[in-house]
Amino acid sequence: MPLVTLNEILPAARNEARAVAAFNVANLETLLAVFKAAEEENSPVIIQVYQRLFNDERAELIAAMTAKLAEKTAIQIVLHLDHGTSVEQIKKAIKIGYTSVMIDGSQFPLTENIELTSQAVEIAHKAGVSIEAEIGHVPFGNGKVELSSSEEAVKFVSHTNVDALAISIGTAHGFYKEAPCLDIKRAREIGAGVSIPLVLHGGTGVPEEQLKKAIAYGVTKINLATELQDLFLRGAACELKRNEKKFMPIDLCFKPVEKRIIEYSKIKIKAFRQATFSS
Ligand code: 13P
């Protein structure tokens, strides 16, 4: 089937208190492994591509491969621009076949974020593409976490008409030095204030039980990048070491690595299917 937008999969997921995994792929092997995991689990999946890959041909080539894979399957696949930086980048993503985009104005004050996001929403919706935006700030690495509030979520959603809202409840992008402790109370307040699907960035290394509690309050899309890409790189290094003395063609060398990514992705897809309701 053709690629779908977030709107075909996330509102239903929110109603049913489950989340859909969003995997950051960066090449043929990571894309193929995530696709196979979703097919084996008979589950919708969000394939996302980080904004830096839009600086050359990579994002467009991944789009062509993803559309080809989608053609021959019955599972729903969304192709999403992750952390879009500008309206120009949103336009480019739409032009090269992305069915969903994120505009990230989370580094700006709320009013500016609303302004930028509203412009991007108009462009995305005119093209039939779904759009995610972020409030609060989920830092990269050791940056400072700025939690989102329910009040700003309500204001942001009513002013922008965005389809999915990324919130900050204690996660950060990348590996953690210590396991994070999500602010579930904050997730509950935001989830009670806005009914659109909520997004959690920085899924790597967050204990499953915490994610399941966040899902209960409306987190419907969970982003995973670092763990998956690290698995790929370390897996490749491991294969090279194992075949130290002999040449191994690229496709054969990557096969066992893909297998590990398939297993990893299936575990995440399954884990996000069910929420934990706490009192
Ligand atoms: P991690 O790299 O922590 O998994 O976060 C991924 C992400 O949020 C991509 O936008």
Side-chain angles (χ1 to χ4, degrees):
M1 67 162 71
L3 293 166
V4 300
T5 75
L6 295 180
N7 295 331
E8 271 88 61
I9 60 170
L10 293 189
R14 179 155 182 185
N15 282 341
E16 292 159 20
R18 56 182 172 81
V20 180
F23 298 102
N24 280 71
V25 306
N27 58 7
L28 165 67
E29 288 75 21
T30 45
L31 168 65
L32 200 51
V34 167
F35 170 76
K36 284 185 180 160
E39 269 215 314
E40 285 177 27
E41 284 304 316
N42 194 21
S43 166
V45 71
I46 299 160
I47 303 282
Q48 54 186 24
V49 176
Y50 186 61
Q51 53 88 7
R52 187 179 54 242
L53 282 76
F54 285 72
N55 292 340
D56 59 23
E57 297 84 355
R58 276 161 235 268
E60 187 167 4
L61 294 173
I62 292 173
M65 291 192 290
T66 311
K68 203 77 197 157
L69 288 171
E71 248 175 44
K72 60 186 189 99
T73 183
I75 62 164
Q76 294 171 302
I77 302 177
V78 179
L79 180 62
H80 181 77
L81 156 66
D82 186 32
H83 288 286
T85 54
S86 64
V87 161
E88 286 66 41
Q89 198 170 47
I90 301 291
K91 286 183 185 163
K92 176 172 180 182
I94 294 169
K95 189 163 170 226
I96 62 178
Y98 282 66
T99 52
S100 187
V101 292
M102 175 192 186
I103 182 77
D104 184 1
S106 64
Q107 70 279 24
F108 300 125
L110 192 66
T111 319
E112 279 174 52
N113 190 356
I114 288 176
E115 206 171 297
L116 174 66
T117 302
S118 301
Q119 285 173 29
V121 168
E122 200 184 328
I123 291 161
H125 285 173
K126 211 177 262 175
V129 158
S130 57
I131 178 158
E132 169 191 335
E134 179 173 318
I135 53 164
H137 189 57
V138 177
F140 285 80
N142 295 325
K144 191 171 172 292
V145 175
E146 283 168 34
L147 294 183
S148 318
S149 75
S150 172
E151 296 73 34
E152 61 182 352
V154 171
K155 182 172 175 191
F156 190 84
V157 170
S158 68
H159 280 73
T160 60
N161 198 22
V162 78
D163 299 304
L165 181 67
I167 56 168
S168 179
I169 53 167
T171 55
H173 295 90
F175 286 120
Y176 297 95
K177 289 208 177 82
E178 287 166 32
C181 183
L182 299 192
D183 193 330
I184 298 299
K185 186 169 163 279
R186 189 64 71 106
R188 186 199 318 213
E189 287 163 9
I190 298 171
V194 296
S195 59
I196 65 168
L198 303 177
V199 180
L200 195 64
H201 283 242
T204 289
V206 183
E208 197 176 300
E209 259 325 295
Q210 293 194 39
L211 292 175
K212 283 171 171 286
K213 284 182 185 164
I215 294 170
Y217 296 119
V219 167
T220 315
K221 170 177 182 275
I222 300 178
N223 291 3
L224 298 159
T226 305
E227 245 169 16
L228 183 145
Q229 299 202 2
D230 191 66
L231 206 57
F232 175 78
L233 292 170
R234 287 187 199 283
C238 182
E239 289 310 307
L240 280 180
K241 182 117 190 71
R242 210 158 60 85
N243 299 302
E244 210 166 19
K245 299 261 171 345
K246 61 173 194 284
F247 167 72
M248 184 63 83
I250 289 176
D251 58 320
L252 299 181
C253 180
F254 280 152
K255 275 261 149 96
V257 184
E258 286 166 33
K259 215 165 147 220
R260 270 172 248 163
I261 297 177
I262 293 172
E263 286 318 308
Y264 164 82
S265 307
K266 283 170 69 172
I267 288 169
K268 297 298 172 188
I269 290 169
K270 277 194 261 210
F272 300 166
R273 275 193 186 131
Q274 245 182 351
T276 302
F277 292 88
S278 42
S279 49

